[in-house]
């Protein structure tokens, strides 16, 4: 079962269970997927759906920070719950040590030695971690290791 089908099935289950929050969250994600399918005029593959899910999680993490700054704990709690639901559909996230290992391997592969080589390094690294790690964290680790 591909990811889009799994979203549909989970939406049906949420309807049956009358879990309105989960249903709303899945519907928002499905709408984003559907909009991309309409734009591309074809069904999406799993890696493209994962990209959309990652984008949705990133948007909610940004919102979570803003809600925290504004003192809106109610909205922050809702955003955190949405992140949890959407994350169920993403591949297992890499830990910091796993990312460091991948960065070190990629540094050896590309021969990067300074921050001037960062673009080349990130270009080679991001496809390896796509959907499995936060880009900001990867960027921070790369900067640490290139110093």
């Amino acid at each position: 079962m591909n990811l889009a089908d799994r979203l549909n099935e989970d939406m049906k289950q949420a309807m049956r269970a009358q879990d309105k929050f989960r249903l709303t969250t899945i519907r928002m994600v499905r709408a984003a997927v559907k909009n991309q399918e309409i734009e591309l005029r074809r069904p999406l593959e799993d890696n493209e759906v994962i990209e959309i899910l990652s984008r949705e999680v990133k948007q909610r993490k940004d919102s979570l920070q803003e809600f925290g700054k504004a003192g809106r704990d109610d909205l922050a709690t809702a955003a955190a719950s949405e992140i949890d639901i959407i994350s169920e559909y993403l591949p297992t996230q890499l830990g910091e040590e796993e990312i460091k290992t991948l960065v070190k391997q990629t540094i050896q592969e590309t021969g990067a030695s300074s921050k001037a080589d960062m673009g080349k390094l990130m270009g080679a690294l991001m496809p390896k971690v796509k959907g499995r790690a936060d880009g900001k964290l990867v960027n921070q680790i790369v900067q640490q290791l290139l110093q």
Side-chain angles (χ1 to χ4, degrees), residues 3 6 50 53-54 57 61 84 86-96 98-99 102 127-134 137-138:
L3 213 43
R6 186 172 156 212
I50 288 172
L53 292 171
S54 297
V57 168
K61 283 183 180 177
D84 291 340
I86 297 169
S87 295
E88 293 174 16
Y89 301 98
L90 290 172
T92 306
Q93 297 294 297
L94 296 172
E96 216 171 303
E98 294 168 309
I99 295 171
L102 276 173
K128 295 178 183 179
V129 298
K130 192 172 198 168
R132 299 187 308 151
D134 181 37
L137 178 62
V138 173

Side-chain angles (χ1 to χ4, degrees), residues 32-55:
V33 170
K34 196 68 172 168
N35 286 339
Q36 188 69 26
E37 286 178 342
I38 291 169
E39 188 175 313
L40 296 175
R41 296 183 180 153
R42 64 176 172 78
L44 298 180
E45 295 182 21
D46 277 353
N47 62 341
E48 295 168 314
V49 175
I50 288 172
E51 198 173 305
I52 292 170
L53 292 171
S54 297
R55 188 173 356 138

Side-chain angles (χ1 to χ4, degrees), residues 99-115 117-118 120-122 124-125 128 138 141-147:
I99 295 171
K100 282 183 182 179
T101 304
L102 276 173
V103 170
K104 288 175 185 174
Q105 288 174 354
T106 309
I107 286 173
Q108 289 176 348
E109 291 170 8
T110 61
S113 59
S114 68
K115 286 196 176 191
D117 300 325
M118 191 165 165
K120 178 172 66 170
L121 177 62
M122 292 298 284
L125 181 64
K128 295 178 183 179
V138 173
I141 292 172
V142 166
Q143 288 182 9
Q144 288 173 357
L145 294 176
L146 284 180
Q147 287 181 352

Side-chain angles (χ1 to χ4, degrees), residues 55-82:
R55 188 173 356 138
E56 293 291 321
V57 168
K58 184 180 185 308
Q59 287 175 353
R60 281 161 180 79
K61 283 183 180 177
D62 293 344
S63 297
L64 191 63
Q65 289 177 341
E66 295 302 317
F67 295 149
K69 288 179 189 174
R72 294 295 308 266
D73 295 333
D74 55 330
L75 295 176
T77 304
S81 298
E82 288 177 357

